Amino acid sequence: MSLEVRGLHAGYGRLAVLHGIDLTAGEGELVAVIGANGAGKTTLLRALSGLLPVTAGTVHLAGTDVTGYGPEKLARTGLAHVPENRLVFPSLTVVDNLVLGGYTRRRGPAADRAQARDRAMALFPRLEPRLEQAAGTLSGGEQQMLAIARGLMAQPRVLVLDEPSVGLAPRLVGEIFSALGKLRDDGLTLVVVEQNARAAFAVADRVSVMDRGRVVLEGDPAALSTDPRVSGGFLGGG
Ligand code: ATP
């Protein structure tokens, strides 16, 4: 398993939000995590990437127990986090944002970095003519592409993304998700938190449904999309 989460508990101070999450993702697998507002999806990603302390349970990354690792050590061990709302550095150029992403790269020197950049440009060709542009002047979709490309610069084994489709037009959502599908086909492991269940179901290998800090359903998207609990609760509006 690239990522194996067992009995994970986390929260904010005394507020317990996650009550024993189990989640696995194999190499080259794209796992979508869906659920209503406040289910704890963002909290799960924060705990996975070391931004929030894990209060109980374990996280293994490619067989290594990384429970309790901080964000930087996790990044070096092979986990990259693309946070909600992109969070690119607006006054820096696109290329400088990418260079910062490579700062915690797992292995290899500058040649690898150039390769990682080429790979990101191949994935998102519309970033290439914009390398010297301030990241804050990119469109929302382009900023999302940059945020993903920046995460890839660290050459992760596992990429976790928080709502990459938020605020984007349907065409761009399609573009982003097809890029995620390509990364998966190249062997990257992805965990994608999404409100847009329809987009997630179209590309995911497996789906976990969260509700109030627990995984309440788990399975392959074809089976889950006909489950009345999913179609009624999460697919209805999307
Ligand atoms: P959404 O889809 O709306 O982003 P989510 O599933 O990602 O929701 P979380 O953001 O993980 O849910 O929130 C889960 C719970 O944790 C909510 O009840 C929320 O109010 C609470 N919470 C989130 N961030 C904090 C924080 N910094 N301090 C205290 N409570 C928080």
Side-chain angles (χ1 to χ4, degrees), residues 12 15 17 36-43 46 84 163 195:
Y12 303 91
L15 176 70
V17 173
N37 281 321
K41 305 178 299 295
T42 295
T43 303
R46 287 195 191 130
E84 213 171 356
E163 304 214 18
Q195 291 255 4

Side-chain angles (χ1 to χ4, degrees), residues 55-94:
T55 49
T58 57
V59 181
H60 283 79
L61 194 64
T64 303
D65 186 348
V66 297
T67 317
Y69 278 26
E72 225 179 294
K73 196 168 176 195
L74 265 170
R76 273 186 271 117
T77 315
L79 185 132
H81 180 198
V82 180
E84 213 171 356
N85 301 324
R86 294 122 211 182
L87 298 180
V88 298
F89 297 100
S91 59
L92 297 184
T93 63
V94 169

Side-chain angles (χ1 to χ4, degrees), residues 182-203:
K182 276 188 206 151
L183 290 168
R184 177 263 315 277
D185 296 343
D186 285 347
L188 186 69
T189 301
L190 298 107
V191 176
V192 186
V193 156
E194 259 305 331
Q195 291 255 4
N196 185 337
R198 213 173 278 284
F201 273 59
V203 68

Side-chain angles (χ1 to χ4, degrees), residues 99-122:
V99 167
L100 282 175
Y103 171 70
T104 49
R105 70 189 177 276
R106 186 153 54 89
R107 50 174 190 265
D112 281 1
R113 203 162 69 190
Q115 203 177 20
R117 195 172 94 183
D118 288 351
R119 201 168 153 224
M121 292 306 103

Side-chain angles (χ1 to χ4, degrees), residues 140-160:
E142 289 160 0
Q143 287 190 26
Q144 183 62 66
M145 291 173 193
L146 174 57
I148 296 170
R150 187 177 61 185
L152 293 173
M153 290 295 288
Q155 297 176 274
R157 210 188 289 276
V158 177
L159 186 69
V160 303

